[in-house]
Amino acid sequence: MATPTTTNAPAHPCLVSSFIDFGSGSVSLRPRSNFFFIRTFNSRPFRNRSFSVTNVSVNHPTAVQEESSTNWPALAPDASSIASSIKYHAEFSPSFSPGQLDLPKAFLATSQSVRDALISNWNATYERYDSLDVKQAYYLSMEFLQGRALLNAIGNLELTGAYAEALTKLGHNLENVASQEPDAALGNGGLGRLASCFLDSMATLDYPAWGYGLRYKYGLFKQLITKDGQEEVAENWLEMGSPWEIVRNDVSYPVKFYGKVVCDADGKRHWIGGEDVTAVAHDVPIPGYKTKTTNNLRLWSTKAPANDFDLSAFNAGEHMQAYEALANAEKICYVLYPGDDTEEGKVLRLKQQYTLCSASLQDIIARFERRSGSNINWGQFAEKVAVQMNDTHPTLCIPELMRILMDLKGLSWNDAWTITKRTVAYTNHTVLPEALEKWSLDLMQKLLPRHVEIIETIDEQLINEIVSEYGKEDTEMLEKKLKEMRVLENVDLPEQFAHLIVKPREISVAISLQEREESSEESESAEEKDESEDESTEEEKVMAEPPPKPPKMVRMANLCVVGGHAVNGVAEIHSEIVKDEVFNSFYKLWPKKFQNKTNGVTPRRWIRFCNPALSKIITEWTGSEDWVLNTERLGELRKFADNKGLQNQWRSAKRENKMKVVSFLKEKTGYTVSPDALFDIQVKRIHEYKRQLLNILGIVYRYKKMKESSAERKNMYVPRVCIFGGKAFATYVQAKRIVKFITDVGITVNHDPEIGDLLKVIFVPDYNVSVAELLIPASELSQHISTAGMEASGTSNMKFAMNGCVQIGTLDGANVEIREEVGEENFFLFGARADEIAGLRKERAEGKFIADPRFEEVKEFVRSGVFGSNSYDELLGSLEGNEGYGRGDYFLVGKDFPSYIECQDEVDKAYRDQQRWTRMSIMNTAGSYKFSSDRTIHEYARDIWNIQPVRVE
């Protein structure tokens, strides 16, 4: 055994460094904290093991022990050595007792084997960033919808074939082993999936960038579909632990709530007292494709210190009271988006957002200080750090960074504000009012008193800038600007500005009983009035109650715009709406802040790994695998779109993927579907603006017409399998009604013997990334049918296009750009345009809208009871009336229904011509080249973060 020697090494951010010598079967775990190095030496599968063990303390980074031998063999990842590594982890894994290598155990052992290789690259990456002291970007998001990691990791490491062969040697199939992995329950929809695509691209393109999020123990929820519709139960993704994450007990930070702000003798302010929790880091390696660069996703869990456990209360039998502080700390990271209908729910959500911001910024600042050494120059902070806020959830980064710089680091307000504005940037993801977050000022004052002081000062500075820009002469215009732009809503102007806007005088209104009688008796004669005046009556005064004051709120989106140096939308049409409508006054004040960054998705996960049949064809016809990194090469498929050889291969790959979905649907729902039918798919978060209701009403209309045309139906209609998937938030009643309605329609249609395989309606329960990886490659028509102007971008539309799926949709979000790239003739367009929506809503409110008879017909059919005894009055009622809450068809389902069903007729016509349809499919893949997240990340790095790639050798 080699004799250990002492070498100098930098303090390291990662928990464990690993090395696997696949050629010799040796394993070395090189910890950077109080953990052990274990190296096993053996050319055979770990018999006659010999161990070298060294304990290294993180407190003594200059005394790291390493083996003196530096001539380790190069990595040779052959199947035999990988099988040995898997067997080693199966035997020594603490997750299972020794015994048979069954599927769950095989998955964990395989994952740990892969993780060893990732950690080696992970450490090399960070050492490279450290040694060069590079500027690093940090992507803060409440969601990271990662999906399964095993196949993605070995794919990026280019070890898929070797691991498949190794598992075959051990009696397993790679696909079956991978299926044991639960999806990480760290997100729900496009926001989280975009963040995960970005992480993949950052690593693949060698950009120094990390992600920061929260480690949700129970996720959003696991969706069950029952006779009552959607039901929610807790996710269990961490039940067996995650083989990918590394708990960093040595990386933790205090996070404070409540308390009070005090001022010391020199005027410095301090936040003291209150409730303290500890945020603990859990690191997940993020490998790039065909590169050693392996970045990090750092997730925070929360706990309370042990001394917060009230042992006296526990021994007195008051067990809940004894555990209260610990439970309050831990529940912060229990659930993604906890219900916020109650005050407790609102407090918990705000705690989550602040925990993410505070722990992440403390970590970022600690790294900056460590890299700076003894010469900390805060003026260089923005030259070394870029913080991207993914939507408004991380908005508290702005006041928190200010607090740390001023209260803890001693900077002045002006210096801290300059640094903050140069460091932070904001991505807007929606124009929906409910997503432009507002928080109760009173609640925030109680929970985060120091931050409210900072926000009030930011608001005051903004008022001053608005007054300087627009002057004091036109008070009406000034009042409008202040009302629209202020961070604080429904809050009186600060004293120094109060005189600018004259508030209407509050008047006590007294109405005498006599006056009230006079006003209601217009027919009374003049003589009678005189008579009543002479009578001696005692006036009964009734005081008119003033209207209730609107609540004081903190507008988080406005704070993001004010405190960030860049604001971007996520599709061309969305970015224009952001500038012209959502933040128009800010755009006029600071036009250079606003940018567009059209979203993208990673071609690794969303073609290369999830659709190997199509990937093989693309590689054959473009001449290489370059398209995986340079998606512009997909455009070369256009010149072959009419080639019969390519078309035959294309259809064969699509059918292969459809057969997988046939089996999957049978297993998950019990329904048998025909692979010869058109697979028509809408999978996304259930929301009224996404208009799953329009889709299912179109299906109901189709079903009705099929029933009415028994003799000709087989010739009139193309067989379809209509697939839905997505979760409705637990408290979103209308969305859950839509889920229930879809499942009711499915039960009726799928059991109708007259219809048979002509039409099937299936709701896939618990839709997630892994389900998407099955459905999207098999899809032939996908629906992106949101009300125009309401979808910021969408990313599922990009994934479908990449996989050769033809789309039906409105001119909304990224649909506009997709249609331009794939060609108008290869996209089924319907519906009102974004610039028409306001006028159509006004027309509806004025009672001028006349519904198409077909729309009235389908509603009447639903109400006839054909889909069961459930009442759909409240669901259909939202489509009726002219205005009012839950009325008036705000999302214009009725308006777009005629053009939608007519467009579906065009779909049938095109699908009957399989040569034409296949050409359309090829053109969709060819035109999707623009929608790689690699392009998007290049643009963020260049235009917002100002970071450069750093290659890890």
Side-chain angles (χ1 to χ4, degrees), residues 398-410:
I398 294 167
E400 175 67 358
L401 183 54
M402 291 290 292
R403 182 190 73 84
I404 294 173
L405 292 176
M406 292 190 300
D407 298 359
L408 304 183
K409 306 304 176 183

Side-chain angles (χ1 to χ4, degrees), residues 247-517:
V247 185
R248 296 295 313 276
N249 290 307
D250 60 323
V251 179
S252 63
Y253 298 97
V255 178
K256 181 183 291 295
F257 305 106
Y258 302 109
K260 63 181 179 179
V261 180
V262 297
C263 187
D264 60 22
D266 63 359
K268 218 176 164 186
R269 303 188 73 75
H270 301 279
W271 183 18
I272 63 172
E275 172 187 310
D276 293 301
V277 303
T278 301
V280 179
H282 299 248
D283 287 347
V284 180
I286 306 294
Y289 178 72
K290 290 191 176 183
T291 175
K292 281 189 71 174
T293 298
T294 303
N295 286 330
N296 194 36
L297 170 59
R298 177 157 284 177
L299 304 170
W300 301 106
S301 66
T302 45
K303 66 178 185 179
N307 57 13
D308 281 359
F309 180 74
D310 191 338
L311 191 59
S312 298
F314 190 84
N315 287 331
E318 298 170 346
H319 300 152
M320 295 304 294
Q321 179 184 329
Y323 186 73
E324 184 178 9
L326 279 67
N328 283 336
E330 291 171 3
K331 73 181 182 183
I332 292 171
C333 293
Y334 272 177
V335 175
L336 169 64
Y337 302 137
D340 59 355
D341 288 346
T342 64
E343 184 76 2
E344 292 79 5
K346 290 180 174 65
V347 168
L348 187 55
R349 279 214 189 187
L350 193 54
K351 280 185 171 183
Q352 287 186 333
Q353 294 188 5
Y354 179 61
T355 298
L356 169 64
C357 296
S358 181
S360 301
L361 283 172
Q362 289 182 69
D363 194 45
I364 291 165
I365 288 169
R367 188 170 302 110
F368 169 76
E369 290 179 317
R370 182 174 56 77
R371 288 179 179 175
S372 298
S374 58
N375 301 311
I376 298 175
N377 179 358
W378 289 104
Q380 290 292 307
F381 186 77
E383 303 300 325
K384 296 297 181 182
V385 172
V387 174
Q388 188 71 35
M389 300 181 295
N390 191 27
D391 216 350
T392 52
H393 306 125
T395 305
L396 289 168
C397 279
I398 294 167
E400 175 67 358
L401 183 54
M402 291 290 292
R403 182 190 73 84
I404 294 173
L405 292 176
M406 292 190 300
D407 298 359
L408 304 183
K409 306 304 176 183
L411 274 66
S412 69
W413 173 277
N414 287 339
D415 287 343
W417 185 233
T418 299
I419 291 168
T420 299
K421 288 197 297 181
R422 291 177 60 213
T423 301
V424 175
Y426 161 54
T427 298
N428 173 273
H429 280 280
T430 185
V431 299
L432 294 179
E434 65 265 29
L436 294 174
E437 285 187 299
K438 297 178 184 180
W439 283 103
S440 162
L441 181 61
D442 291 339
L443 185 152
M444 191 177 287
Q445 177 72 58
K446 287 187 289 187
L447 195 68
L448 304 168
R450 180 63 178 127
H451 297 75
V452 168
E453 290 185 344
I454 293 168
I455 290 169
E456 287 173 339
T457 305
I458 293 171
D459 185 60
E460 188 175 317
Q461 284 194 177
L462 175 62
I463 293 169
N464 189 60
E465 189 162 354
I466 293 169
V467 172
S468 298
E469 178 70 19
Y470 295 105
K472 305 174 184 178
E473 291 75 20
D474 189 343
T475 56
E476 186 177 330
M477 186 268 288
L478 181 59
E479 183 177 12
K480 179 176 179 292
K481 292 293 182 183
L482 290 171
K483 184 176 181 180
E484 181 182 339
M485 298 174 70
R486 285 188 63 188
V487 175
L488 299 179
E489 183 180 48
N490 305 321
V491 175
D492 290 341
L493 287 168
E495 188 176 343
Q496 66 268 36
F497 300 108
H499 66 283
L500 296 176
I501 308 297
V502 180
K503 294 178 66 177
R505 209 158 43 95
E506 293 184 5
I507 304 172
S508 293
V509 181
I511 306 174
S512 71
L513 183 61
Q514 180 181 345
E515 289 169 340
R516 291 170 67 195
E517 289 173 348

Side-chain angles (χ1 to χ4, degrees), residues 609-640:
F609 302 147
C610 78
N611 198 344
L614 183 61
S615 297
K616 184 178 178 182
I617 294 169
I618 294 171
T619 298
E620 178 184 340
W621 287 82
T622 60
S624 73
E625 280 197 342
D626 288 351
W627 61 270
V628 182
L629 288 170
N630 302 299
T631 51
E632 292 83 0
R633 295 290 306 275
L634 293 175
E636 297 175 16
L637 293 170
R638 290 190 177 105
K639 60 189 178 187
F640 305 116

